[in-house]
Amino acid sequence: DSGVTQTPKHLITATGQRVTLRCSPRSGDLSVYWYQQSLDQGLQFLIQYYNGEERAKGNILERFSAQQFPDLHSELNLSSLELGDSALYFCASSVQSGMSYNEQFFGPGTRLTVL
Amino acid sequence: GQNIDQPTEMTATEGAIVQINCTYQTSGFNGLFWYQQHAGEAPTFLSYNVLDGLEEKGRFSSFLSRSKGYSYLLLKELQMKDSASYLCAVRPRDSGYALNFGKGTSLLVTP
């Protein structure tokens, strides 16, 4: 158990819908990262937040957005869902203390199925 | 941008040694990570290299050559539970500590 929690574990929805994925980082970690993992693309970085502010952006679609709240939990919002958005969505957290090591700990993931 | 290449699949025998290679091209480099991922589970951290050379951690070792854009993960005394996907990830400079992952190498350990 990494200490990172994600809800829900599974989500099944229809095209055109909107969903929200939730992540709670490890105690003490200020940084949250969102990744998408599909069979053909592998694990792809979407977006990072540090202490409530956006820090880095990867291959995140405009239909997707995220935020980090004062209690450091984060939410990833996916809207106008398409079949191709079906994937495993992972959240990871790290301390980001300025040390180069800065290991990321991954949550168990949310499996999103768009029908 | 990033380009990370690793073999798609490998097979090895229980008790043997296997080396999983990773090559990368990056505009700025700030560390290379190896993660293990069992099917349907979260990736778990194995190793980190930022300087050239070998880092050893029990049965697992990782090597880095920055000038060649090359790393490998060495797994010794293979066990059946080592059957998993092994992900090479590069942390670019100025990335906010985000990681760019390769597509992973699926390792099958056979009896």
Side-chain angles (χ1 to χ4, degrees), chain A residues 56-70:
Chain A
K57 228 171 182 176
N59 300 319
I60 188 166
L61 300 171
E62 285 192 12
R63 300 184 285 109
F64 295 1
S65 65
Q67 54 184 325
Q68 186 179 29
F69 295 87

Side-chain angles (χ1 to χ4, degrees), chain A residues 45-49 53-58, chain B residues 94-98:
Chain A
F45 168 66
L46 296 178
I47 196 164
Q48 178 204 358
Y49 278 81
E53 294 192 3
E54 183 184 305
R55 177 58 65 93
K57 228 171 182 176
Chain B
D94 301 326
S95 70
Y97 294 94

Side-chain angles (χ1 to χ4, degrees), chain A residues 33 35 37 40-41 43 45 48 55-56 90 96 98-104 106-108, chain B residues 30 33 35 37 40-43 45 48 57 87 91 95-103:
Chain A
Y33 312 77
Y35 293 88
Q37 187 173 41
D40 56 341
Q41 291 297 321
L43 196 59
F45 168 66
Q48 178 204 358
R55 177 58 65 93
F90 286 106
Q96 196 161 335
M99 294 168 54
S100 62
Y101 187 97
N102 205 46
E103 172 189 349
Q104 291 183 25
F106 282 76
Chain B
N30 196 18
F33 292 75
Y35 278 79
Q37 186 179 25
E41 298 183 7
F45 170 79
Y48 167 73
K57 209 175 179 182
L87 310 175
R91 186 170 66 207
S95 70
Y97 294 94
L99 297 177
N100 289 315
F101 283 86
K103 292 190 177 180

Side-chain angles (χ1 to χ4, degrees), chain B residues 27-106:
Chain B
S27 52
F29 177 84
N30 196 18
L32 187 141
F33 292 75
W34 284 94
Y35 278 79
Q36 180 192 59
Q37 186 179 25
H38 287 96
E41 298 183 7
T44 55
F45 170 79
L46 289 178
S47 70
Y48 167 73
N49 297 72
V50 68
L51 299 176
D52 290 353
L54 188 68
E55 294 284 339
E56 296 187 80
K57 209 175 179 182
R59 293 190 300 116
F60 293 6
S61 304
S62 58
F63 170 84
L64 175 67
S65 168
R66 288 172 297 170
S67 62
K68 295 182 179 176
Y70 169 69
S71 173
Y72 68 73
L73 179 70
L74 195 70
L75 292 76
K76 303 175 188 173
E77 300 168 17
L78 280 173
Q79 303 175 8
M80 299 297 287
K81 67 178 182 180
D82 296 329
S83 292
S85 185
Y86 291 86
L87 310 175
C88 172
V90 170
R91 186 170 66 207
R93 195 176 298 127
D94 301 326
S95 70
Y97 294 94
L99 297 177
N100 289 315
F101 283 86
K103 292 190 177 180
T105 298
S106 180

